[in-house]
Amino acid sequence: MKVDTVIVGAGTAGLSALREVRRYTDDFLMVNDGHWGTTCAAVGCMPSKALIEAANAFHQRGAFDEFGIRGGEGLRADIPAVLARVRKMRDQFVKGPKAVPEKLGDRALSGRARLLGPRRLEVNGKEIEARAIILAPGSRPVMPGPWRELGDRILTTDSLFDQRDLPRRIAVIGMGAIGVEIAQALARLGLEVAGFDATEGLAGIDDAEVLDAFRPLIAGDVDLYLGTEADLKDTGDTIRVSAAGGAFEADAVLAAIGRRPNIDDLGLDTLGVPLDEKGMPGIDPCTLQIGDLSVFMAGDANGIRALLHEAADEGHIAGRMAAPDAAGTGLARRTSLSIVFSTPQVARIGATLSDLEEGDFETGSFDFSKQARARMAQTSGGVLRIYATRDTGRLLGAEICAPAAEHLAHLLALAVEQRLRVADMLAMPFYHPVLEEGLRSALRDLAKAVPGAGGSDLSDCEAIGHDALD
């Protein structure tokens, strides 16, 4: 069988690539191993956010008395009903991707693909020759071999949302973005939750001041055991999870220690290019091309930026660069942006503190425990840190732990992408009273440290000591 282009994987990256491939040819084949629902819609960002919304709604009862609302203690979370709603929404989200094979007809093939060389693959025992190949096989949760012996008491995000009910005590191992989100959500639904991580980090936070602000806030919901690897022991009735600082008796464990690219037996060794110790070839981040071959790798599998919006961009790039008349050095990547949907939310925009050279930048901060609008909503807490060039005040990046950080993060990502300066941002309108005033306060703090900030802040006055007017 000969076709112009083969796309391996029907996740976000693969579907994005398909849109571009169809611009230059109808002679394509999409191969997918497993479900056609995409990781995001089926087991990732969408069902997890549905769970988080339910958890936050139930948790709000804890602030009722402060608002003068009585009777919150009589509410309860019906976990089976919560999970049923999550699945109902999940099933709606996956309808579109699941319909792809029917829409593509004989251009869609369910099966596992294996490369036989730069222009050849094997699927279900059939050999396929292609001018260009786009690899987007996705990833799967990491699961240490010995843990599998614990059977269905070990959960991953691939299995969590299919549970009809949950036990009362759950240990979450891995407190990165996924682990923090799920651990806090389960705790806010009334379960007893402990979080374990081999590092002292949380939610992928890079800036130590942001981490210091976030740690006590998440610890208010989840018992934390950080700094050493967790040890699991089956005691019969429970799983005893031990680490420095103590142990936790769990009825189930959620493994959230990362995801592994689905490159096992993909045949990357047949491409004739060097592979690293993990079996991965070198990939150009702007073209997604492997070496000088007509083979491209996009999405979670390449490990460059494992986020949905990045996978969509990468599929777009790979599809464009796979065209027979493609030329150039590829497409510029957008400003990096990541958001953790915990409470408070955590976000990282552009350059991190670790990326920057000391002496070349200045930092501005704002403490959200003092923010008036957040205090009204009983959500105060956290910090915003912004980085800018010392000489011109051009924004480089930021890290946030704050209420509604997802919205502040988008404003900052737009500013970094447009290469705006501190002065440019301060010249923009800010309403009152809104959370965005915390962003203005951080920008004002940054402007004091940037000699070249310049410009005019129309409300450039010192705080006068009254929250209603600052």
Side-chain angles (χ1 to χ4, degrees):
M1 183 178 182
K2 291 185 178 181
V3 296
D4 182 86
T5 304
V6 173
I7 302 169
V8 177
T12 299
L15 293 175
S16 180
L18 175 63
R19 286 191 291 270
E20 300 307 314
V21 168
R22 298 184 88 162
R23 293 178 186 273
Y24 67 77
T25 186
D26 289 325
D27 185 23
F28 65 84
L29 184 67
M30 172 163 269
V31 182
N32 188 65
D33 183 29
H35 70 82
W36 289 74
T38 80
T39 295
C40 172
V43 297
C45 36
M46 301 305 280
S48 66
K49 302 313 170 288
L51 181 73
I52 290 167
E53 291 295 346
N56 289 343
F58 183 58
H59 184 74
Q60 187 67 13
R61 77 197 187 286
F64 282 177
D65 277 353
E66 191 69 28
F67 285 115
I69 303 170
R70 310 302 180 213
E73 65 278 358
L75 299 175
R76 68 181 182 87
D78 182 341
I79 301 300
V82 168
L83 293 171
R85 176 181 180 269
V86 170
R87 286 191 299 276
K88 180 180 178 180
M89 300 198 77
R90 186 246 345 245
D91 293 345
Q92 294 169 353
F93 298 138
V94 301
K95 279 184 178 179
K98 286 180 71 173
V100 168
E102 181 179 352
K103 292 179 179 179
L104 294 183
D106 59 7
R107 290 297 175 191
L109 184 60
S110 292
R112 186 165 182 78
R114 188 180 191 282
L115 293 165
L116 301 175
R119 293 180 181 271
R120 295 184 301 126
L121 312 91
E122 182 182 57
V123 183
N124 298 339
K126 291 184 178 181
E127 187 171 326
I128 302 165
E129 184 177 335
R131 179 194 59 79
I133 299 172
I134 298 173
L135 303 172
S139 62
R140 65 186 185 279
V142 173
M143 175 68 75
W147 294 8
R148 298 180 186 278
E149 297 176 6
L150 296 169
D152 58 10
R153 290 183 293 169
I154 293 287
L155 303 171
T156 70
T157 50
D158 280 6
S159 60
L160 175 66
F161 306 114
D162 280 326
Q163 304 302 305
R164 265 41 187 180
D165 198 357
L166 294 173
R168 304 310 302 174
R169 298 173 297 178
I170 295 181
V172 178
I173 302 181
M175 292 300 283
I178 295 172
V180 162
E181 286 183 350
I182 300 299
Q184 186 182 50
L186 296 179
R188 290 189 161 206
L189 286 168
L191 304 185
E192 187 178 346
V193 182
F196 294 79
D197 200 285
T199 75
E200 294 286 350
L202 290 165
I205 295 172
D206 180 76
D207 190 313
E209 290 193 25
V210 178
L211 180 60
D212 287 345
F214 182 67
R215 185 184 291 111
L217 298 174
I218 190 69
D221 291 315
V222 179
D223 291 335
L224 296 176
Y225 300 84
L226 306 176
T228 60
E229 290 189 6
D231 178 67
L232 277 61
K233 182 178 180 180
D234 187 353
T235 65
D237 294 332
T238 67
I239 302 171
R240 183 176 178 82
V241 186
S242 305
F248 179 76
E249 300 291 338
D251 301 308
V253 171
L254 175 68
I257 55 178
R259 296 184 67 88
R260 175 176 290 120
N262 291 327
I263 60 172
D264 314 65
D265 200 35
L266 185 58
L268 293 173
D269 57 312
T270 69
L271 295 179
V273 297
L275 304 179
D276 65 18
E277 67 279 1
K278 296 181 179 179
M280 187 72 73
I283 301 166
D284 186 318
C286 295
T287 65
L288 285 308
Q289 187 174 14
I290 297 176
D292 59 356
L293 308 174
S294 291
V295 182
F296 307 82
M297 183 177 285
D300 286 4
N302 67 28
I304 296 175
R305 295 182 181 178
L307 297 166
L308 177 132
H309 66 283
E310 298 289 358
D313 281 357
E314 290 187 356
H316 172 84
I317 293 170
R320 285 287 183 92
M321 300 310 298
D325 58 351
T329 57
L331 301 176
R333 303 301 296 265
R334 304 180 210 254
T335 295
S336 63
L337 170 63
S338 65
I339 300 171
V340 181
F341 292 85
S342 54
T343 301
Q345 293 179 342
V346 172
R348 189 165 62 206
I349 305 99
T352 66
L353 197 60
S354 297
D355 295 331
L356 301 173
E357 292 289 335
E358 189 173 352
D360 292 343
F361 70 99
E362 294 290 350
T363 302
S365 303
F366 178 71
D367 181 352
F368 267 83
S369 66
K370 303 174 182 178
Q371 213 279 329
R373 182 62 186 275
R375 286 164 51 202
M376 294 176 197
Q378 293 296 119
T379 60
S380 58
V383 66
L384 164 60
R385 299 258 290 163
I386 309 177
Y387 322 120
T389 57
R390 173 170 290 176
D391 54 350
T392 65
R394 179 173 63 83
L395 298 181
L396 299 171
E399 196 153 20
I400 314 171
C401 154
E406 60 186 288
H407 305 298
L408 298 173
H410 277 85
L411 289 175
L412 283 162
L414 291 170
V416 173
E417 183 76 9
Q418 294 297 313
R419 302 177 65 83
L420 298 184
R421 301 168 302 142
V422 177
D424 298 324
M425 288 290 286
L426 283 172
M428 300 292 181
F430 285 85
Y431 203 74
H432 175 78
V434 293
L435 291 171
E436 284 75 10
E437 287 178 297
L439 169 58
R440 183 178 62 183
S441 294
L443 289 166
R444 284 177 170 174
D445 183 49
L446 181 55
K448 296 174 186 176
V450 177
S456 172
D457 179 354
L458 296 181
S459 54
D460 186 12
C461 57
E462 295 296 324
I464 59 177
H466 300 283
D467 289 342
L469 300 175
D470 285 350

